[in-house]
Amino acid sequence: MSCLGRLKKVTILLVFIFFALVFVASSAFADRGIVLALSGGGAKGLAHAGVIKALEEEGVKIAGIVGTSMGAIVGGLAASGYDGAEIERIFRELDLYELFWDGKDGNSPSSMERPIIRLSYDEENRIMGRMGIIEGRDLYGEMLKYVSCVKTYDFMKFPIPFAAVATDLETGEMVVITKGNLASAMRASMALPGIFSPWLYNGKLLIDGGLVANLPVRVAKNIFPGYPVLAIDVTGKLVKKEEIRSMIDVLGQTVGIMTAKNVEEDLQYADAIVRPAVDDISLMDFSNIDELIERGARATFEQMDQIKALVVKIVDDEQPLKNPIVKDVRLTGIPDIQKSFTRERRSWMGRPLDMKEVNNTLLELLEHDRVAMADYKLIEEDGKVIVEYVVKRKPQKEYAFSGYSTNISSDNRWATLKYMQRDLWDLGDEAHLQFWLGENFFARASYVGSEGSNWRFESSLAFQDWEITPENYGKVNWKRYFAYLGFDNVGEDYMSFSGGIAFDHVDDGKDEHHWGPMVKFSYKNKKDDKSAGYFETEGLFWYPEGETLLGRVVFASSLPLSDEWRATISGGVEKGDASTPAWAAYLGGYGEMLGRLGHPVMAENAAWTRVSVQNTFAKGLWGKLEPEFFGAIGYALDDDWRRIQELWEVGIGLNIPNRIIDLSVFALYDDRSDWTFGFSVGTPPVSYGPVMP
């Protein structure tokens, strides 16, 4: 063979080897990658989602994320598998202000009354005060739903390796979380003192990581050695005194002062810095999510050439994910359900850890009536893992003070005192003592037994000393004693049913007593999808011996019309007996006709409906401003359900629900050709009608 032929063969062989090496190299190395250090900054941190979107659009691979506070929230979502567009969608769907209210749904008329003062006591009679304005339970539960898709408890094995930074409240030391419950780690990292309560995580009481590393560049360098770190700084600058106009502004400035030094130190180690223009955004201003995300993306695109110059090749050494075998399942905090809890999860043992099962079980615990908070620890032992659920029970004792006042009627001004004790005679039972003090008086003591199967015992004793002047009648007064014994069944889909025997003694000059069967029901269909609205109804019926049927049924339904507007329709029917004033139906007695509040129309029966359209004009950590347009119509009916009087009113109002007590002001015009201007503070007690509540 000629030298030329040999040269051709060698050349072909070398070319083949070259392309083979290129192929091997392309298989061994993934695309370019950088590590993100996402800072805290409250609402400003939503700009992080825009940064992630911009990097994805330019094909810049994220090799790891370390986040503090809001940076941990956004970073945790990205690490668990959500892309930038999905994170943006999540924050658009979430109503963060509603989540901050911790169980108070401002749209629902059946929402719990918020006490002005509340004192709680634990099993050792120690006072348990709030450790923050926001407990953060609802936010934690919502985050848990979103990140329950993760398949491992090792954050470094996520689609994007991840770490969250928090601060140990006991020692002041930094805590870097890389394993466990991702939702719990995110919540711990954002526990801003004074706003969010500290978070118990693996035995440590944690607060916001911003106190030790608000821009965790050095943490990222330690966890991901050899990788360039891109610092996303949304901490903001200190502002002048003229710009400090609220408590939140003061808090934001304080946080800035406290974290400025550690941010400045970390910035020196960053390979590149992106600073979204968010200085004008307040710490808790979540009102313009789209704009914040856009600012994050814009700032990133401006630095994209520098970012791309930093990227490195990442060795593609991805291994199949293998979770350890479950050795044991435990529950602490509620001993009486521990055996049944572990028995129901015996099938987990000996199988690889299934994070979906673990997270779904935690969500079930959070829905339990006796659970104030729940989390889990994953304890590695002998190459296996122990799943330990840690439950915080609701306080054993609680005292609450609240009130109601209006300028419409002096009869409807109240101070309300309530006492509740759990686990009084049996684990899981509850006893309540309530007093309504005003021009009239009402007291009630009730007891609900622990759950047994689907039924539980309930009883109540009530006393009422009442005097009112109905609009169509003279002054009436009575003393009424009421008792109930029965059983309550809690079914699925928010349906409950109870039945028993009720006793009544009325002292109104006749001095009569009666007894007979009573049934009560309620149904609440509240969906997670806010666009679906809600529907709820409840009622009770009593048939005293030898007398007529008495009862009351009410309903309420709400449907969002847009992001800011919603429509609500409510109404009800009362079946009464006007021959006994304590049993009569009172149209307007519960505030369904605002103009008749305190001076209702008395009748045998009554029916009414109310329609309102409300706009969420403004909302924040302090509460909301909700203008309202409303109209109501009601009918006083005789014993044969014939109309004897028609009432109507239309008006406008401004509702200001807040974290302490609700405030409403309104102006209305009614069938009497009268204008009424009024206000109310608090929630009126449901305290009289044909059947005692």
Side-chain angles (χ1 to χ4, degrees):
M1 182 180 293
S2 67
C3 291
L4 183 61
R6 290 192 185 96
L7 183 60
K8 287 182 178 178
K9 286 187 176 182
V10 170
T11 302
I12 292 172
L13 180 61
L14 290 173
V15 171
F16 175 77
I17 292 172
F18 172 77
F19 281 108
L21 289 172
V22 170
F23 175 77
V24 171
S26 64
S27 300
F29 293 89
D31 293 333
R32 301 164 294 177
I34 59 173
V35 171
L36 300 182
L38 305 181
S39 79
K44 306 172 196 281
L46 294 179
H48 293 318
V51 173
I52 292 169
K53 280 185 66 177
L55 294 176
E56 289 172 350
E57 289 181 22
E58 292 295 316
V60 177
K61 186 175 180 65
I62 301 172
I65 299 175
V66 179
T68 294
S69 197
M70 184 57 77
I73 299 291
V74 177
L77 290 171
S80 62
Y82 293 100
D83 61 30
E86 290 171 328
I87 295 172
E88 182 177 15
R89 174 186 57 80
I90 288 171
F91 281 107
R92 282 177 174 171
E93 290 177 352
L94 290 176
D95 190 332
L96 290 170
Y97 291 120
E98 287 293 339
L99 293 176
F100 291 162
W101 284 67
D102 290 324
K104 163 63 181 174
D105 177 2
N107 298 337
S108 172
S110 69
S111 302
M112 286 186 61
E113 180 183 351
R114 291 187 298 280
I116 299 172
I117 299 173
R118 175 179 302 205
L119 295 176
S120 301
Y121 293 80
D122 63 11
E123 293 87 345
E124 299 178 10
N125 285 322
R126 297 175 301 183
I127 294 180
M128 301 168 56
R130 293 184 70 93
M131 292 190 286
I133 297 174
I134 302 169
E135 187 68 28
R137 173 192 169 108
D138 290 356
L139 181 63
Y140 167 58
E142 201 68 23
M143 287 295 101
L144 183 61
K145 294 176 185 177
Y146 280 109
V147 301
S148 61
C149 58
V150 297
K151 298 180 180 179
T152 175
Y153 64 95
D154 187 344
F155 301 174
M156 302 306 290
K157 294 180 181 179
F158 283 178
I160 300 175
F162 173 72
V165 179
T167 304
D168 189 327
L169 183 58
E170 185 176 9
T171 66
E173 296 176 350
M174 180 189 301
V175 178
V176 180
I177 307 172
T178 59
K179 286 185 178 182
N181 176 1
L182 176 58
S184 190
M186 294 158 70
R187 169 62 181 83
S189 182
M190 63 167 288
L192 185 63
I195 297 294
F196 290 95
S197 296
W199 195 256
L200 190 64
Y201 188 87
N202 283 350
K204 295 181 178 181
L205 195 60
L206 303 182
I207 55 175
D208 197 292
L211 298 179
V212 289
N214 204 31
L215 182 56
V217 176
R218 284 173 288 181
V219 177
K221 287 282 187 180
N222 290 332
I223 295 178
F224 302 98
Y227 286 92
V229 174
L230 175 61
I232 314 301
D233 181 9
V234 297
T235 56
K237 300 181 299 184
L238 297 179
V239 300
K240 296 184 181 299
K241 62 179 182 295
E242 293 79 13
E243 300 177 67
I244 302 175
R245 299 184 297 271
S246 70
M247 181 183 70
I248 298 300
D249 292 336
V250 172
L251 180 62
Q253 185 82 338
T254 304
V255 171
I257 294 170
M258 294 171 62
T259 62
K261 184 176 180 180
N262 70 57
V263 169
E264 183 180 350
E265 292 174 349
D266 268 293
L267 283 171
Q268 299 175 29
Y269 294 86
D271 295 287
I273 303 168
V274 171
R275 286 191 175 96
V278 293
D279 287 344
D280 60 322
I281 304 299
S282 178
L283 188 70
M284 300 297 290
D285 181 8
F286 295 93
S287 61
N288 202 335
I289 292 173
D290 292 343
E291 176 65 20
L292 282 165
I293 293 174
E294 173 58 30
R295 292 186 192 185
R298 189 186 311 131
T300 307
F301 283 124
E302 291 172 357
Q303 301 288 328
M304 193 59 70
D305 290 341
Q306 182 185 3
I307 293 170
K308 287 184 176 180
L310 290 174
V311 295
V312 297
K313 295 289 184 180
I314 305 172
V315 178
D316 189 5
D317 59 352
E318 183 177 346
Q319 300 293 326
L321 182 62
K322 291 183 179 180
N323 277 332
I325 300 298
V326 176
K327 181 179 180 179
D328 195 7
V329 181
R330 303 171 182 169
L331 180 140
T332 61
I334 306 185
D336 55 308
I337 68 170
Q338 183 174 348
K339 288 184 179 179
S340 61
F341 180 87
T342 54
R343 183 174 60 249
E344 292 169 2
R345 286 152 188 84
R346 190 172 296 159
S347 61
W348 292 14
M349 300 177 195
R351 294 195 289 113
L353 181 69
D354 186 330
M355 290 303 298
K356 185 175 182 180
E357 285 182 330
V358 172
N359 286 318
N360 285 342
T361 297
L362 182 56
L363 285 168
E364 291 175 11
L365 282 172
L366 287 170
E367 294 295 324
H368 197 287
D369 287 342
R370 293 162 57 195
V371 172
M373 193 60 67
D375 201 349
Y376 59 78
K377 296 190 294 186
L378 299 166
I379 305 168
E380 296 171 335
E381 188 177 287
D382 302 327
K384 297 183 179 181
V385 66
I386 298 171
V387 184
E388 181 177 333
Y389 288 92
V390 181
V391 173
K392 178 183 177 183
R393 299 165 66 175
K394 291 181 179 178
Q396 188 173 26
K397 298 178 182 179
E398 286 187 338
Y399 297 88
F401 170 79
S402 57
Y404 175 77
S405 181
T406 177
N407 66 324
I408 301 298
S409 169
S410 61
D411 293 341
N412 272 40
R413 297 172 186 168
W414 302 88
T416 305
L417 302 173
K418 297 183 180 181
Y419 168 75
M420 180 180 66
Q421 182 166 345
R422 299 180 175 94
D423 304 335
L424 181 62
W425 288 303
D426 192 10
L427 288 171
D429 66 0
E430 289 185 9
H432 298 256
L433 185 60
Q434 302 166 312
F435 297 94
W436 285 265
L437 309 173
E439 290 293 325
N440 294 310
F441 175 79
F442 181 72
R444 178 171 58 196
S446 59
Y447 175 79
V448 179
S450 59
E451 295 180 11
S453 183
N454 290 327
W455 291 90
R456 57 183 179 179
F457 172 75
E458 64 174 356
S459 62
S460 64
L461 293 170
F463 171 72
Q464 182 185 47
D465 188 350
W466 219 258
E467 181 179 289
I468 57 173
T469 306
E471 181 180 286
N472 60 335
Y473 204 83
K475 182 180 294 186
V476 294
N477 58 76
W478 65 83
K479 288 182 174 65
R480 188 178 189 186
Y481 305 84
F482 194 86
Y484 171 77
L485 298 172
F487 289 89
D488 174 60
N489 174 264
V490 180
E492 300 295 329
D493 297 325
Y494 304 97
M495 169 69 81
S496 68
F497 172 84
S498 62
I501 300 294
F503 305 84
D504 175 287
H505 176 81
V506 178
D507 182 2
D508 59 355
K510 300 179 183 178
D511 197 25
E512 298 177 339
H513 61 271
H514 311 83
W515 68 274
M518 174 180 282
V519 294
K520 298 186 281 187
F521 71 88
S522 68
Y523 175 77
K524 301 179 182 181
N525 181 20
K526 297 182 67 176
K527 300 182 179 179
D528 293 335
D529 182 4
K530 291 184 179 295
S531 64
Y534 71 84
F535 173 80
E536 59 186 26
T537 183
E538 61 181 30
L540 68 165
F541 295 96
W542 181 41
Y543 190 73
E545 54 174 332
E547 302 291 344
T548 184
L549 178 69
L550 306 174
R552 173 183 173 89
V553 178
V554 296
F555 75 91
S557 181
S558 179
L559 181 66
L561 304 177
S562 68
D563 290 341
E564 292 81 24
W565 290 89
R566 72 176 184 272
T568 301
I569 180 170
S570 59
V573 176
E574 281 188 352
K575 175 68 174 69
D577 181 356
S579 64
T580 301
W583 288 3
Y586 291 96
L587 189 56
Y590 298 92
E592 63 272 13
M593 308 293 293
L594 289 175
R596 264 68 175 197
L597 190 62
H599 298 283
V601 172
M602 176 178 168
E604 293 282 344
N605 305 304
W608 67 92
T609 187
R610 177 184 175 88
V611 178
S612 67
V613 178
Q614 292 178 314
N615 172 267
T616 304
F617 177 74
K619 56 185 175 181
L621 186 64
W622 47 269
K624 304 178 187 177
L625 290 177
E626 294 182 334
E628 176 186 26
F629 303 90
F630 62 86
I633 187 169
Y635 300 100
L637 307 166
D638 65 16
D639 196 39
D640 294 321
W641 296 91
R642 292 189 298 259
R643 186 187 312 173
I644 58 176
Q645 188 173 347
E646 177 180 317
L647 293 74
W648 59 264
E649 62 186 27
V650 293
I652 59 173
L654 179 64
N655 302 318
I656 313 175
N658 58 73
R659 301 196 66 85
I660 298 177
I661 197 165
D662 288 342
L663 170 65
S664 295
V665 293
F666 54 87
L668 62 86
Y669 185 79
D670 61 22
D671 56 277
R672 299 169 297 186
S673 301
D674 282 345
W675 279 97
T676 301
F677 300 91
F679 72 85
S680 64
V681 180
T683 303
V686 177
S687 48
Y688 65 103
V691 185
M692 297 285 281

